[in-house]
Amino acid sequence: MGPTSGSRPATESHGHPPDHPACPPSGPLIIGRSAAIRSICSTAERVAEGDAKVLITGESGVGKDLIAQLIHTHSRRAAHPYVAVNCAGVPETLLESQLFGHVKGAFTDAFRDKVGTLQQAQGGTIFLDEVAEMSLRMQAMFLRFLENGEIQPVGSDLMKTQVNVRVIAATNKDLAAAVAAGHFREDLMYRLDVVHIHVPPLRERAEDIRALIEHHLAGAKRRIRLTEDALRVLETYRWPGNVRELQNVIERLIWMSPGDVVDIGDLPTRLLPGRTDTILPVRERRRQRADDLFRALSDGTLSFWEHVHPLFLDRDLTRHDLRELVRRGLATTRGNYQAVVRLFGMQAGDYKRFLNFLGTHDCVVDFREFRTTGLPENHIVKEPVPPKSPAVGHRKPQRKSTGSR
Ligand SMILES: Nc1ncnc2c1ncn2[C@@H]1O[C@H](COP(=O)(O)OP(=O)(O)OP(=O)(O)O)[C@@H](O)[C@H]1O
Ligand SMILES: [Mg+2]
């Protein structure tokens, strides 16, 4: 995904005072009671005073982004930009131009000069997410930048600019193992790993679960309460997707639970103790996520721009999740993108914007494989590209899921 500048509010109050903030309410709100989270916050605040590079490790969804933002907002760089760059899934050349910028004519689509994220973060902090995914060539370039602080935009031999940024990197991979396997440069690992903050998985700090749930419920539009039994189930679940998964479960309960009191029977069955599917493999988790979102979109509980789009921009939804979701839409509408637009709670005129959005993030799914069932071959006529006039040719969507699930 492309760079995201730190546009979050300096204090996330969610309309309520934080019940269990482990860190003072300036910068992102970090909820937790555990010794681990308190110690992480105090390390983050201490390290914020200087410019040391920080490597944040931990499973997906534990809060690595949040800790990076905390360091930035507590540092003397706080008035300058915080820019996050995700190194995963971005082609090497695109990442290079994202980070270092490019000059007009550097490559086919370079119609004008573009300032790179390193320069955009001037005076502030750059957050390199999923750093283990950088190619070896990019690693060499980044190492050179760390050594001399100079950036050279793609396609320019002469222009060199000095940039002063603080570097924070994060990964959910074992960097030492990546070094041993020859995928990551040892010298770069040591340069990035000056201060190491490891965020343990949620299951290893179960005290934080209740605090996170209470915080989430307090900020919700709909008031619900969890029984003590239900809370205990949530406290003993493994949470393979960590805080992100917990947030999703609570959000779903807030919107989907029939009554105001949530008991064990109202919890998703996969959370119940003794279930063998509580430790879901990644693929299964993705499928579950897409299923939940799809259900909520198609019954009108959620809408794409209002709910799914921000989740994706906040990187709470991966490209894989988004593609899975689009696949379900196409399966239901037999490959009709315009019907997907309506099914996902968008206006018919949003067709072009929707496809542009998918195209930008490499999430366009080929509609043709969904067109075959029950339709003659000659129905496969349109390419999934935005039409000149998006409203023309709109077909009435089928609201009921015929299911790819
Ligand atoms: N201690 C916490 N207090 C409040 N919210 C949290 C906490 N930890 C994580 N979150 C929330 O959980 C979600 C996931 O956090 P974040 O994106 O920081 O995780 P991550 O470790 O960077 O995950 P990934 O490796 O997938 O990028 C975010 O919505 C974040 O705000
Ligand atoms: Mg992250």
Side-chain angles (χ1 to χ4, degrees):
M1 198 182 296
T4 322
S5 64
S7 57
R8 285 190 180 200
T11 305
E12 287 189 5
S13 72
H14 299 283
H16 289 263
D19 294 330
H20 308 286
C23 300
S26 75
L29 194 54
I30 311 243
I31 302 293
R33 298 169 166 153
S34 65
I37 220 69
R38 284 176 191 280
S39 141
I40 286 168
C41 286
S42 74
T43 307
E45 283 164 25
R46 215 170 330 122
V47 81
E49 288 168 22
D51 268 342
K53 292 177 201 57
V54 182
L55 178 68
I56 308 174
T57 56
E59 288 180 12
S60 184
V62 287
K64 300 186 290 298
D65 279 51
L66 225 50
I67 304 295
Q69 289 176 41
L70 181 76
I71 295 172
H72 173 74
T73 48
H74 280 256
S75 75
R76 59 191 159 78
R77 295 175 175 271
H80 296 280
Y82 169 90
V83 183
V85 177
N86 193 329
C87 305
V90 184
E92 184 182 270
T93 46
L94 188 61
L95 184 60
E96 182 183 350
S97 100
Q98 253 183 31
L99 282 170
F100 298 102
H102 62 246
V103 293
K104 185 177 168 184
F107 45 86
T108 322
D109 292 334
F111 300 119
R112 57 182 72 89
D113 291 358
K114 183 175 168 274
V115 171
T117 43
L118 283 166
Q119 204 172 339
Q120 283 169 19
Q122 182 68 279
T125 304
I126 184 132
F127 176 55
L128 284 183
D129 205 359
E130 307 204 39
V131 71
E133 308 305 319
M134 257 191 189
S135 70
L136 284 166
R137 184 173 153 270
M138 271 310 300
Q139 291 173 34
M141 294 176 75
F142 199 75
L143 194 60
R144 213 173 312 131
F145 162 72
L146 291 180
E147 272 157 14
N148 58 22
E150 264 178 15
I151 54 159
Q152 190 172 354
V154 179
S156 130
D157 293 336
L158 304 170
M159 256 169 62
K160 284 191 176 158
T161 313
Q162 276 288 330
V163 170
N164 172 3
V165 291
R166 191 228 195 109
V167 177
I168 303 179
T171 179
N172 52 25
K173 299 265 163 64
D174 179 347
L175 265 196
V179 168
H183 301 316
F184 204 82
R185 291 180 67 122
E186 190 173 26
D187 43 5
L188 180 57
M189 178 178 75
Y190 287 125
R191 289 300 286 258
L192 296 174
D193 189 359
V194 176
V195 175
H196 185 173
I197 296 182
H198 178 71
V199 189
L202 194 52
R203 61 186 163 279
E204 288 176 17
R205 44 188 174 99
E207 313 93 287
D208 293 343
I209 294 174
R210 200 172 278 242
L212 283 159
I213 293 172
E214 286 168 5
H215 169 73
H216 227 63
L217 292 179
K221 288 220 175 79
R222 183 181 167 210
R223 293 283 152 173
I224 59 162
R225 186 174 67 78
L226 271 67
T227 64
E228 194 52 38
D229 287 346
L231 279 168
R232 267 199 297 271
V233 167
L234 297 182
E235 277 177 329
T236 48
Y237 175 61
R238 245 182 84 78
W239 298 111
N242 293 292
V243 182
R244 185 176 291 122
E245 185 187 8
L246 176 84
Q247 282 180 344
N248 291 339
V249 166
I250 299 302
E251 194 163 343
R252 190 169 156 212
L253 288 174
I254 289 167
W255 293 112
M256 309 295 242
S257 72
D260 295 343
V261 179
V262 174
D263 205 353
I264 292 184
D266 303 311
L267 299 176
T269 49
R270 70 188 163 87
L271 305 186
L272 301 183
R275 292 286 304 212
T276 48
D277 59 352
T278 46
I279 310 164
L280 293 172
V282 176
R283 256 171 75 192
E284 197 46 49
R285 234 186 294 148
R286 265 186 203 139
R287 200 167 301 145
Q288 174 118 32
R289 190 114 210 268
D291 279 343
D292 287 353
L293 281 174
F294 180 75
R295 213 173 299 126
L297 282 171
S298 33
D299 67 21
T301 310
L302 304 183
S303 78
F304 188 87
W305 295 125
E306 220 182 310
H307 301 100
V308 178
H309 187 244
L311 280 177
F312 185 82
L313 294 187
D314 280 343
R315 286 181 288 144
D316 283 343
L317 197 69
T318 66
R319 287 180 214 224
H320 291 285
D321 295 330
L322 185 58
R323 284 190 208 110
E324 279 293 313
L325 188 62
V326 173
R327 269 191 201 102
R328 277 156 182 68
L330 289 172
T332 302
T333 61
R334 291 193 171 168
N336 185 337
Y337 262 100
Q338 285 175 326
V340 171
V341 164
R342 297 300 299 273
L343 182 68
F344 285 2
M346 292 175 263
Q347 301 295 319
D350 279 348
Y351 174 63
K352 190 174 176 182
R353 181 181 167 210
F354 179 54
L355 277 178
N356 279 342
F357 168 72
L358 295 181
T360 307
H361 298 287
D362 193 22
C363 287
V364 176
V365 175
D366 190 343
F367 67 103
R368 284 170 297 193
E369 57 179 294
F370 302 96
R371 283 261 168 120
T372 48
T373 346
L375 285 173
E377 285 252 316
N378 59 6
H379 274 236
I380 307 166
V381 286
K382 277 183 74 191
E383 288 299 316
V385 290
K388 290 252 165 349
S389 165
V392 172
H394 168 71
R395 282 194 225 149
K396 203 172 184 304
Q398 297 165 259
R399 293 291 301 180
K400 286 272 169 275
S401 161
T402 52
S404 62
R405 287 172 272 150

